[in-house]
Amino acid sequence: MKSGAEPQTALVPRGAALFERVDYRLIETEEDKDRLHRMRYHAYLHAGLIPPSESQRVTDRFDDAPNVWNFGVYVDNELCSAVRIHVLTFEWRMSYTTEVFGDVLHPRLDRGEVFIDPCRFVADPEMQQRFPELPYLTVRLPFVACEHFNADVGLSMVRTDHQAFYRRVFLSETLTEPRSFPGWPTKKAVLMASDYPRVREKILTRFPIMRSSAFERRMLFERSAPRIAPSRPVLVAGAAAPA
């Protein structure tokens, strides 16, 4: 669906120029999944994260988890980047992040906290060069998910050299020391967290493109036969987020 932020008088430069050309689509067909898996492969190979493989695809068992949404970010109808979003609740805990950092997350899930857990954030290397705003427009999706699912925390399992981006955009804090991550033999990852109710307004002030309408959130995250439902009432248009 076309990005559907609510009207605003001034968009910040980061992502604003490209915003109206962006289309967010849930990856569902076999053809789209194959295109996504190939883009992941080329992005990771280009970054030196994985060795070459004959399949030229990157996928894992969490791509079809019941609590997952795989999104492609299209510019002018061309797939440019993607992100996989897990909604983690007391009932639904399947993700790589809970495997790697379960000792940190499971006690909080036991207490009923709701996490938005984005991963597999990739961009086509050529498109990344053409559209340097892509990272901002791609990570907008987890922020919109935090709004829709009324999350307590937005998580980020990121490479150690990418922490500055998440501190700057989402005011995230690093929770752990670096740990090995499955499939990344040359890199380690840390767990970062953004206290969504506390930082929401600050982020929206600094990055107005993160705003979304209730209609956009429903179009992105509601399914005709949902495998997982929000564990709390979702925010409606005009409703204030918790302070």
Side-chain angles (χ1 to χ4, degrees):
M1 63 167 292
K2 287 291 181 185
S3 53
E6 294 167 340
Q8 51 220 258
T9 57
L11 291 174
V12 294
R14 286 295 188 180
L18 196 61
F19 194 61
E20 294 304 319
R21 297 164 60 188
V22 165
D23 189 9
Y24 297 125
R25 302 180 193 172
L26 192 63
I27 301 295
E28 296 183 291
T29 70
E30 292 305 314
E31 180 181 359
D32 285 345
K33 289 178 182 179
D34 187 64
R35 188 176 294 114
L36 167 64
H37 300 159
R38 283 189 283 115
M39 184 175 69
R40 283 180 185 168
Y41 171 79
H42 290 296
Y44 291 155
L45 186 67
H46 183 266
L49 296 173
I50 59 172
S53 73
E54 288 188 12
S55 71
Q56 297 190 12
R57 308 289 193 279
V58 172
T59 185
D60 60 59
R61 66 188 183 279
F62 295 109
D63 275 328
D64 296 312
N67 59 329
V68 76
W69 282 256
N70 263 306
F71 285 105
V73 180
Y74 294 75
V75 178
D76 300 334
N77 210 37
E78 190 168 3
L79 179 63
C80 293
S81 63
V83 65
R84 184 171 76 192
I85 297 174
H86 291 269
V87 181
L88 302 179
T89 68
F90 181 87
E91 296 85 3
W92 299 98
R93 306 186 182 212
M94 292 80 80
S95 79
Y96 260 142
T97 306
T98 52
E99 285 208 352
V100 178
F101 297 102
D103 58 317
V104 177
L105 296 177
H106 285 304
R108 297 178 64 169
L109 290 168
D110 290 341
R111 295 196 294 268
E113 293 189 52
V114 175
F115 299 134
I116 299 299
D117 174 22
C119 62
R120 295 296 192 194
F121 170 31
V122 295
D124 178 275
E126 180 182 345
M127 295 301 178
Q128 177 69 71
Q129 292 295 318
R130 286 175 55 189
F131 304 120
E133 311 97 323
L134 268 178
Y136 295 87
L137 292 167
T138 306
V139 299
R140 177 178 179 267
L141 282 163
F143 187 87
V144 174
C146 284
E147 186 92 347
H148 181 72
F149 291 98
N150 201 9
D152 296 289
V153 175
L155 298 175
S156 303
M157 181 168 64
V158 302
R159 289 159 44 183
T160 54
D161 54 330
H162 285 183
Q163 294 177 78
F165 174 84
Y166 291 89
R167 290 195 188 102
R168 181 172 68 253
V169 177
F170 295 121
L171 306 177
S172 298
E173 299 177 355
T174 301
L175 301 183
T176 68
E177 295 296 320
R179 299 185 185 182
S180 297
F181 175 78
W184 285 3
T186 62
K187 298 287 183 179
K188 291 190 175 184
V190 296
L191 180 64
M192 303 186 73
S194 176
D195 184 339
Y196 178 72
R198 181 175 60 85
V199 303
R200 174 183 181 271
E201 291 303 322
K202 294 179 182 178
I203 293 171
L204 290 174
T205 299
R206 297 172 65 230
F207 298 97
I209 61 167
M210 297 294 177
R211 293 189 182 276
S212 62
S213 66
F215 173 77
E216 181 188 18
R217 296 192 291 273
R218 289 195 301 270
M219 292 296 291
L220 287 169
F221 295 105
E222 289 188 5
R223 293 166 167 149
S224 56
R227 290 176 288 177
I228 179 173
S231 61
R232 306 172 182 171
V234 300
L235 296 177
V236 298

